[in-house]
């Protein structure tokens, strides 16, 4: 996260750490419910709908190099069962912990003259910006890790019938008679012969009836 970005204090996922101060050991606890941001989860698989409530329990701890953020996010995700394709809902609880560094301190908490010279190091770090921290990237990672890659409506969901697509949970006795493809052609030929024999018999019976009438 580039630490020259400007954070909006009106964003519910942006926390103000001014009251915490920079005295190591100081603690602050926050409990709040915020609306879920857009694309909050595994896109196309399962996720928390945009605007849905996300309950946060957060602890902020001041340390030498920044603010250590520890917390839990709870929400209800929605998706589709990968077996039967039915809609599903899932309660998700994601734990997270991350260090938000002060832009003017190095890894050991010492003040440095020109912060951010090492762009590669800064790329993977989160920063305190004018006393504000943005939880969104941290929460996104935590929620994605907490969600199942292949969600199911129930652990023993039997899925769909491979022959006709019927939902097997609705009809546990659903089945199709298996036909050996090696005999399918012969079966069709036998049916054709039987039909021909029936036609011949029917024709012979009709001829006999005509003779009797004469």
């Amino acid at each position: 996260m580039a630490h020259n970005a400007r954070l909006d204090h009106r964003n519910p996922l942006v926390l103000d750490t001014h009251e915490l101060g920079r005295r190591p050991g100081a603690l602050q606890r926050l409990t709040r419910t915020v609306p879920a941001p857009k694309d909050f989860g595994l896109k196309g698989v399962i996720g928390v709908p945009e605007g849905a409530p996300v309950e946060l329990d957060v602890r902020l701890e001041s340390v030498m190099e920044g603010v250590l953020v520890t917390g839990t996010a709870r929400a209800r995700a929605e998706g589709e069962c990968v077996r039967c394709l039915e809609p599903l809902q899932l309660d998700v609880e994601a734990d997270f912990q991350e260090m938000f560094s002060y832009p003017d301190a190095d890894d050991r908490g010492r003040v440095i003259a020109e912060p951010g010279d090492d762009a590669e190091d800064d790329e993977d770090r989160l920063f305190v910006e004018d006393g504000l921290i943005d939880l969104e990237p941290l929460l996104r990672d935590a929620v994605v890790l907490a969600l199942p890659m292949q969600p199911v409506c129930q652990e023993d969901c039997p899925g769909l019938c491979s022959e006709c697509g019927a939902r097997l949970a609705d009809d546990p006795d659903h089945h199709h008679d298996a036909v050996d493809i090696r005999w399918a052609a012969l079966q069709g030929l036998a049916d054709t012969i039987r039909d021909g024999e029936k036609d011949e018999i029917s024709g012979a019976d009709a001829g006999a009836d005509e003779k009797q009438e004469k």
Side-chain angles (χ1 to χ4, degrees):
M1 174 181 174
H3 58 264
N4 59 356
R6 301 293 297 181
L7 299 181
D8 186 352
H9 69 277
R10 295 169 297 181
N11 185 332
L13 289 176
V14 172
L15 305 183
D16 191 332
T17 68
H18 285 98
E19 292 185 10
L20 184 67
R22 295 183 64 161
R23 181 173 59 83
L27 293 175
Q28 183 178 4
R29 297 182 183 274
L30 301 172
T31 300
R32 62 174 61 177
T33 300
V34 301
K38 185 178 180 180
D39 299 328
F40 199 47
L42 298 169
K43 190 173 182 179
V45 181
I46 188 171
V48 181
E50 183 178 3
V54 180
E55 297 177 1
L56 298 177
D57 290 323
V58 184
R59 188 184 76 166
L60 308 177
E61 181 179 358
S62 179
V63 294
M64 287 292 294
E65 62 269 33
V67 178
L68 179 64
V69 178
T70 306
T72 302
R74 300 178 184 86
R76 173 158 291 191
E78 296 180 0
E80 186 179 83
C81 177
V82 296
R83 297 178 187 171
C84 69
L85 307 183
E86 287 293 308
L88 61 80
Q89 292 186 333
L90 175 69
D91 290 328
V92 58
E93 181 173 306
D95 296 324
F96 54 88
Q97 184 176 69
E98 189 64 61
M99 172 66 69
F100 285 78
S101 302
Y102 294 127
D104 58 350
D106 65 10
D107 291 338
R108 286 175 290 180
R110 298 177 304 185
V111 176
I112 55 180
E114 297 182 3
D117 285 345
D118 193 337
E120 293 183 0
D121 289 345
D122 290 351
E123 187 69 23
D124 297 327
R125 296 171 65 185
L126 298 175
F127 289 89
V128 180
E129 300 292 338
D130 297 325
L132 304 176
I133 59 176
D134 185 5
L135 291 183
E136 184 171 336
L138 175 58
L139 285 180
R140 284 187 181 278
D141 291 344
V143 169
V144 167
L145 290 175
L147 290 172
M149 295 294 292
Q150 295 186 317
V152 292
C153 58
Q154 53 188 22
E155 291 299 326
D156 58 349
C157 174
L160 303 176
C161 174
S162 60
E163 295 287 334
C164 66
R167 188 168 181 264
L168 298 179
D170 296 333
D171 183 10
D173 297 326
H174 179 86
H175 71 283
H176 295 270
D177 293 332
V179 177
D180 192 326
I181 59 175
R182 294 173 297 178
W183 298 101
L186 292 177
Q187 182 64 46
L189 179 60
D191 292 340
T192 301
I193 294 174
R194 279 198 297 270
D195 292 340
E197 291 176 348
K198 289 179 181 179
D199 292 340
E200 291 178 0
I201 293 174
S202 297
D205 291 341
D209 292 339
E210 289 178 358
K211 290 180 180 179
Q212 290 178 359
E213 290 177 358
K214 293 179 180 179

